[in-house]
Amino acid sequence: MTSLWRDIRHEVAAWLGSLKLAIGLFLAIAAASIAGTVIPQGESTDFYRQSYPDSGAVVWGFVTWRFIISLGLDEVYRSWWFVALLLLLATSLTICTFRRQIPMLKAAQNWKFYTEPRQLSKYALRTAIPARGTGPLAEQLRAGRYKVYQRDDLIYATKGTIGRVGPIVVHVSLLLIMAGAMIGAFGGYQTQRMTLAGDSFDIKAVEQSRLSLARTPDWTVRVNKFWIDYRPDGSVDQFHSDLSVVSPAGKELTRKIISVNDPLIYDGVTMYQASWGVGAFKLRLNDSPVLTIPMQPIEAPNGQEAWGQAIPFDKDGRVALQMVTRGLQGSLMLLPFNPRTGETVREAATPARVGKPVNILGQRLVIEALVGQTGIQIKADPGIPVVYAGFALLMVGLAMSYLSHSQVWAIYRDGQLHLAGRTNRAQISFERELVRMVAAVQTPRPRTSDALSAAQE
Amino acid sequence: MNASQLVAIQVLLDNAAFAALMVATALYWLAAAFRRVPLLHELGTGASAVALLSVTGLLTARWIETAHFPVSNLYESLFFLCWCVLAVHIAAEAFARQRLVGVFTLPVALGMVAFSSFTLTPAMKAGGPLVPALKSNWLMMHVSVMILSYGALMVGSLVAIAFLIVTWKQKDPELRGSSVGTGGFQKAEYADAEGTTPAASTFASLGGSGGDTTVTLTSSAPTAVTALRRSNLAETLDNLSYRLIGLGFPLITVGIIAGAVWANEAWGSYWSWDPKETWSLITWFIFAAYLHARITRGWQGRRPAMLAAVGFVSVWITYLGVNFLAQGLHSYGWLSGN
Ligand code: HEM
């Protein structure tokens, strides 16, 4: 019973650590990912019902919305089977490293001298040349940065063993990256906040996975200021938010001006500048106090971004005023219209600038300010350091993996030097290196061109 | 030099590159068809060097004009990709002393220049300032390393396609130079005919194997002395494509990592399954499958090369196709011209 169990375990491990499974997994993950780029992800059921009907024009004859939803193709990258494929890959990697790679590395270090010329005949790259001993070859090999072992008339030389360590480093770093991703999935969260300049936000309500172990902070963030740099042609160059992190007791813990690509990081939480809008404007009408009125994103006729708000403009509700702006540069358009019919009063449309009084329909109106609204992306991911460590190690491991592990054996017997060699990656360069060395140690030492022409005769 | 002069130079060099690539492609093809005509190869190499210089000049002029590394729109990135393909092609040709490569790489480079010259509107060709999201060193590194890796992977998989054609009728060519493959060892069929170079395929003389690939070292010894048997044409192509893909794979990995780090710094998430991101991962997995297929017993020979050919298509989809497929983070007006 125990031996059967051991056999089964052995078989399963051999299957899990096999290269064929690994290649199958690579291609399966690639194929699943393709499905995720072809089928729109994360839409509503209605969307799939409309785009992939189950009768009439069925996409490719079988891709119906039921098919998509039941297989989780609407959220491929979060479906249980996709995650299972990734976990299987991680398992395969772990087992492969211990069962295959470490033994391979040991085998590569476990070298031996060959003592009989015929033992070399199994290598494809080999020759026998007249020579005076092993000395000149050993010298050539050392000059070629080989590590040379000599005993009597025998040579073993090797270089690039690090090329055997490389793939192990690569595989371990991939496991690190996957581990970091798991830590992020269980310990992280994210959310967005749109906040008016001057207001504060907290990080209580966040999106996190059901199994999350994360705790959200109790401090709040105050947006001291928000502004945009414009280019001369009116397009946005960069946007900035001046943020303060404030403790529950009201103490400022830190402060930073963030912009796109330059976030604020505090207490493991990262706050990125993500978007912006015009949140409100400050208005004074005749002798009124300053009124703050919110604005909403609206669609301008030419499809460009704009923000606007309509306010009633006379007592009987026959005229309203639509205020529209394209950004925070300070210019607005005032469009009077009839709220019942929606008709604009074209001839009364008036441009306005912040701070400059205008007269419209007999009233004096000043827009004191446009108040920006900053869109901040908030994210905590405790797995990042692990993932980044994995990235760094992966690059090192890949660089190591490019090196080729080369081995040369030689036996000197009766005036003949028998030699053979093999390498695992850079075959062409290795052949050239060996030919050059052989030409250099051969006796009597004719000029290489003579040897070549002799060969052609 | 003022901006309009720089633009004029770019137009001139754009045409020069196109002309040089036409000539180079024609020469490589002629050389493949008429193997005995001398000098065709040398002229082909010369023309591809002229094309490389023209593209270098064009990119430099654009860099000076816009004051940023020229990979910010489709026109610039196509020319940078063309530059990478040509540079890798010339390096590979010199390294492997193997001129068959150009028969496959030059038409691809020509196609890139033709596409950007004939299908892109003037507005899409013009250089401009960077949008805020692109202003980042990580991002510039990400984009340029990605394109560099596409260049190496494309040339590598084109050489694999050449290998597939050269070995068309062979059932199971052995691969040399792999960790667990038997290629390092003597094959039974050569055991009798020591030292003879196996009959190379129809392309053999094109590979220049008559001159260089077989070096026979003579000996006065009466015993059976073997010469070092060096790689034949198919083996050279195979090893060349392996080394190129082996170079492209770390590059695409660094490119993806730079993109992930940038996304994390800018958007707060290092991976978001955006279509372009996903396709780069798909390409990465296909080439990982290629690298592992080479060391799998029973999978050697033509199969890895077929995977590389699939990888060639995947690189193109990653680079271009995704812009037609979907709107993601990565489609900053690439095809809309603003
Ligand atoms: C995403 C997953 C993986 C990646 C990116 C990866 C990457 C690599 C790279 C770059 C190499 C060096 C290739 C070369 O010699 O040119 C390599 C070698 C290797 N890999 Fe993987 N690998 C992955 C998964 C696996 C798995 C799951 C297995 C085992 C089933 C495996 C087994 C091996 C073996 C045995 C080698 C050869 C080592 C040698 O040549 O010394 N790999 N891998």
Short mmCIF file of all heavy atoms in Angstrom, two decimals, chain A residues 195-222:
data_model
loop_
_atom_site.label_atom_id
_atom_site.label_comp_id
_atom_site.label_asym_id
_atom_site.label_seq_id
_atom_site.Cartn_x
_atom_site.Cartn_y
_atom_site.Cartn_z
N THR A 195 -12.66 64.98 -5.54
CA THR A 195 -12.77 65.90 -4.41
C THR A 195 -12.56 67.34 -4.88
O THR A 195 -11.65 67.60 -5.66
CB THR A 195 -11.71 65.56 -3.36
OG1 THR A 195 -11.72 64.16 -3.15
CG2 THR A 195 -11.96 66.28 -2.06
N LEU A 196 -13.40 68.23 -4.39
CA LEU A 196 -13.24 69.66 -4.70
C LEU A 196 -12.03 70.20 -3.97
O LEU A 196 -11.76 69.79 -2.84
CB LEU A 196 -14.45 70.45 -4.18
CG LEU A 196 -15.68 70.54 -5.05
CD1 LEU A 196 -16.69 71.46 -4.36
CD2 LEU A 196 -15.35 71.07 -6.43
N ALA A 197 -11.31 71.10 -4.63
CA ALA A 197 -10.22 71.77 -3.94
C ALA A 197 -10.75 72.39 -2.66
O ALA A 197 -11.81 73.04 -2.68
CB ALA A 197 -9.61 72.82 -4.85
N GLY A 198 -10.09 72.16 -1.53
CA GLY A 198 -10.54 72.69 -0.25
C GLY A 198 -11.23 71.65 0.61
O GLY A 198 -11.26 71.77 1.83
N ASP A 199 -11.78 70.60 0.00
CA ASP A 199 -12.46 69.55 0.76
C ASP A 199 -11.49 68.44 1.18
O ASP A 199 -10.35 68.42 0.75
CB ASP A 199 -13.58 68.93 -0.07
CG ASP A 199 -14.79 69.85 -0.17
OD1 ASP A 199 -14.73 70.95 0.44
OD2 ASP A 199 -15.75 69.50 -0.86
N SER A 200 -12.02 67.52 2.00
CA SER A 200 -11.22 66.37 2.44
C SER A 200 -11.93 65.08 2.07
O SER A 200 -13.13 65.07 1.80
CB SER A 200 -11.07 66.39 3.96
OG SER A 200 -10.29 67.49 4.34
N PHE A 201 -11.16 63.99 2.02
CA PHE A 201 -11.79 62.67 1.83
C PHE A 201 -11.16 61.67 2.78
O PHE A 201 -10.04 61.87 3.26
CB PHE A 201 -11.68 62.20 0.37
CG PHE A 201 -10.27 62.03 -0.13
CD1 PHE A 201 -9.58 60.84 0.06
CD2 PHE A 201 -9.64 63.07 -0.82
CE1 PHE A 201 -8.30 60.68 -0.42
CE2 PHE A 201 -8.35 62.91 -1.31
CZ PHE A 201 -7.68 61.72 -1.10
N ASP A 202 -11.91 60.58 3.05
CA ASP A 202 -11.34 59.52 3.87
C ASP A 202 -11.20 58.26 3.02
O ASP A 202 -11.59 58.23 1.86
CB ASP A 202 -12.19 59.25 5.12
CG ASP A 202 -13.56 58.74 4.75
OD1 ASP A 202 -13.69 58.06 3.72
OD2 ASP A 202 -14.53 59.04 5.49
N ILE A 203 -10.61 57.21 3.61
CA ILE A 203 -10.40 55.97 2.86
C ILE A 203 -11.08 54.84 3.62
O ILE A 203 -10.47 53.85 3.99
CB ILE A 203 -8.89 55.72 2.66
CG1 ILE A 203 -8.24 56.99 2.14
CG2 ILE A 203 -8.63 54.56 1.69
CD1 ILE A 203 -6.76 56.89 1.93
N LYS A 204 -12.37 55.04 3.91
CA LYS A 204 -13.09 54.00 4.66
C LYS A 204 -13.71 52.99 3.70
O LYS A 204 -13.49 51.80 3.84
CB LYS A 204 -14.18 54.66 5.51
CG LYS A 204 -13.64 55.56 6.61
CD LYS A 204 -13.32 54.79 7.88
CE LYS A 204 -12.18 55.41 8.66
NZ LYS A 204 -12.31 56.84 8.96
N ALA A 205 -14.48 53.51 2.73
CA ALA A 205 -15.14 52.60 1.80
C ALA A 205 -14.20 52.32 0.64
O ALA A 205 -13.81 53.22 -0.08
CB ALA A 205 -16.43 53.24 1.29
N VAL A 206 -13.81 51.05 0.49
CA VAL A 206 -12.87 50.70 -0.58
C VAL A 206 -13.32 49.42 -1.26
O VAL A 206 -14.16 48.69 -0.74
CB VAL A 206 -11.43 50.48 -0.03
CG1 VAL A 206 -10.87 51.76 0.54
CG2 VAL A 206 -11.42 49.37 0.99
N GLU A 207 -12.74 49.16 -2.46
CA GLU A 207 -12.99 47.88 -3.14
C GLU A 207 -11.91 46.91 -2.72
O GLU A 207 -10.73 47.18 -2.86
CB GLU A 207 -12.87 48.07 -4.66
CG GLU A 207 -13.80 49.07 -5.26
CD GLU A 207 -13.24 49.63 -6.57
OE1 GLU A 207 -12.42 48.95 -7.22
OE2 GLU A 207 -13.62 50.76 -6.91
N GLN A 208 -12.34 45.77 -2.18
CA GLN A 208 -11.34 44.76 -1.86
C GLN A 208 -11.96 43.39 -2.05
O GLN A 208 -13.17 43.24 -2.12
CB GLN A 208 -10.81 44.93 -0.44
CG GLN A 208 -11.88 44.95 0.62
CD GLN A 208 -11.33 45.40 1.96
OE1 GLN A 208 -10.41 46.18 2.02
NE2 GLN A 208 -11.89 44.89 3.03
N SER A 209 -11.10 42.39 -2.20
CA SER A 209 -11.63 41.06 -2.48
C SER A 209 -12.32 40.52 -1.23
O SER A 209 -12.09 40.98 -0.12
CB SER A 209 -10.51 40.14 -2.92
OG SER A 209 -9.63 39.93 -1.85
N ARG A 210 -13.18 39.53 -1.45
CA ARG A 210 -13.99 39.01 -0.36
C ARG A 210 -13.12 38.43 0.76
O ARG A 210 -13.48 38.48 1.92
CB ARG A 210 -14.94 37.94 -0.89
CG ARG A 210 -16.38 38.25 -0.55
CD ARG A 210 -17.36 37.29 -1.20
NE ARG A 210 -16.88 36.69 -2.43
CZ ARG A 210 -16.98 35.38 -2.69
NH1 ARG A 210 -17.51 34.58 -1.81
NH2 ARG A 210 -16.55 34.90 -3.84
N LEU A 211 -12.00 37.88 0.37
CA LEU A 211 -11.14 37.23 1.38
C LEU A 211 -10.10 38.19 1.93
O LEU A 211 -9.15 37.78 2.58
CB LEU A 211 -10.44 36.04 0.75
CG LEU A 211 -11.38 34.94 0.23
CD1 LEU A 211 -10.58 33.89 -0.52
CD2 LEU A 211 -12.14 34.32 1.39
N SER A 212 -10.28 39.48 1.65
CA SER A 212 -9.24 40.43 2.01
C SER A 212 -9.00 40.49 3.52
O SER A 212 -9.92 40.39 4.33
CB SER A 212 -9.62 41.80 1.51
OG SER A 212 -8.64 42.72 1.92
N LEU A 213 -7.74 40.64 3.87
CA LEU A 213 -7.37 40.78 5.26
C LEU A 213 -6.94 42.22 5.55
O LEU A 213 -6.40 42.53 6.60
CB LEU A 213 -6.19 39.84 5.57
CG LEU A 213 -6.43 38.38 5.20
CD1 LEU A 213 -5.13 37.59 5.28
CD2 LEU A 213 -7.48 37.77 6.11
N ALA A 214 -7.15 43.10 4.58
CA ALA A 214 -6.61 44.46 4.70
C ALA A 214 -7.42 45.32 5.67
O ALA A 214 -8.62 45.16 5.81
CB ALA A 214 -6.61 45.13 3.33
N ARG A 215 -6.72 46.24 6.35
CA ARG A 215 -7.40 47.23 7.19
C ARG A 215 -7.18 48.61 6.59
O ARG A 215 -6.07 48.93 6.16
CB ARG A 215 -6.82 47.19 8.60
CG ARG A 215 -7.42 46.04 9.37
CD ARG A 215 -7.76 46.43 10.79
NE ARG A 215 -7.03 45.58 11.71
CZ ARG A 215 -6.06 46.02 12.49
NH1 ARG A 215 -5.68 47.29 12.46
NH2 ARG A 215 -5.45 45.19 13.30
N THR A 216 -8.22 49.41 6.56
CA THR A 216 -8.07 50.74 5.95
C THR A 216 -7.66 51.74 7.02
O THR A 216 -7.95 51.56 8.20
CB THR A 216 -9.39 51.18 5.30
OG1 THR A 216 -10.42 51.10 6.28
CG2 THR A 216 -9.73 50.29 4.12
N PRO A 217 -6.97 52.81 6.62
CA PRO A 217 -6.44 53.76 7.60
C PRO A 217 -7.53 54.67 8.18
O PRO A 217 -8.60 54.81 7.60
CB PRO A 217 -5.45 54.58 6.77
CG PRO A 217 -5.94 54.48 5.38
CD PRO A 217 -6.59 53.14 5.23
N ASP A 218 -7.22 55.31 9.32
CA ASP A 218 -8.21 56.21 9.92
C ASP A 218 -7.88 57.68 9.65
O ASP A 218 -8.62 58.56 10.04
CB ASP A 218 -8.36 55.95 11.43
CG ASP A 218 -7.03 56.06 12.15
OD1 ASP A 218 -6.01 56.39 11.49
OD2 ASP A 218 -6.99 55.82 13.38
N TRP A 219 -6.77 57.96 8.98
CA TRP A 219 -6.47 59.36 8.65
C TRP A 219 -7.26 59.82 7.44
O TRP A 219 -7.83 59.00 6.71
CB TRP A 219 -4.97 59.60 8.45
CG TRP A 219 -4.20 58.53 7.74
CD1 TRP A 219 -3.41 57.59 8.29
CD2 TRP A 219 -4.13 58.31 6.32
NE1 TRP A 219 -2.85 56.78 7.32
CE2 TRP A 219 -3.27 57.21 6.11
CE3 TRP A 219 -4.72 58.93 5.22
CZ2 TRP A 219 -2.98 56.72 4.84
CZ3 TRP A 219 -4.42 58.44 3.94
CH2 TRP A 219 -3.57 57.35 3.76
N THR A 220 -7.34 61.13 7.24
CA THR A 220 -8.05 61.67 6.09
C THR A 220 -7.08 62.50 5.26
O THR A 220 -5.96 62.79 5.70
CB THR A 220 -9.22 62.57 6.53
OG1 THR A 220 -8.70 63.59 7.37
CG2 THR A 220 -10.28 61.79 7.25
N VAL A 221 -7.52 62.85 4.05
CA VAL A 221 -6.65 63.64 3.17
C VAL A 221 -7.38 64.92 2.77
O VAL A 221 -8.54 64.88 2.37
CB VAL A 221 -6.30 62.84 1.91
CG1 VAL A 221 -5.39 63.66 1.00
CG2 VAL A 221 -5.63 61.53 2.28
N ARG A 222 -6.68 66.05 2.93
CA ARG A 222 -7.26 67.34 2.56
C ARG A 222 -6.63 67.78 1.24
O ARG A 222 -5.41 67.73 1.07
CB ARG A 222 -6.97 68.37 3.65
CG ARG A 222 -7.74 69.68 3.47
CD ARG A 222 -7.52 70.61 4.65
NE ARG A 222 -6.12 71.00 4.74
CZ ARG A 222 -5.39 70.91 5.85
NH1 ARG A 222 -5.91 70.46 6.98
NH2 ARG A 222 -4.13 71.29 5.84
#
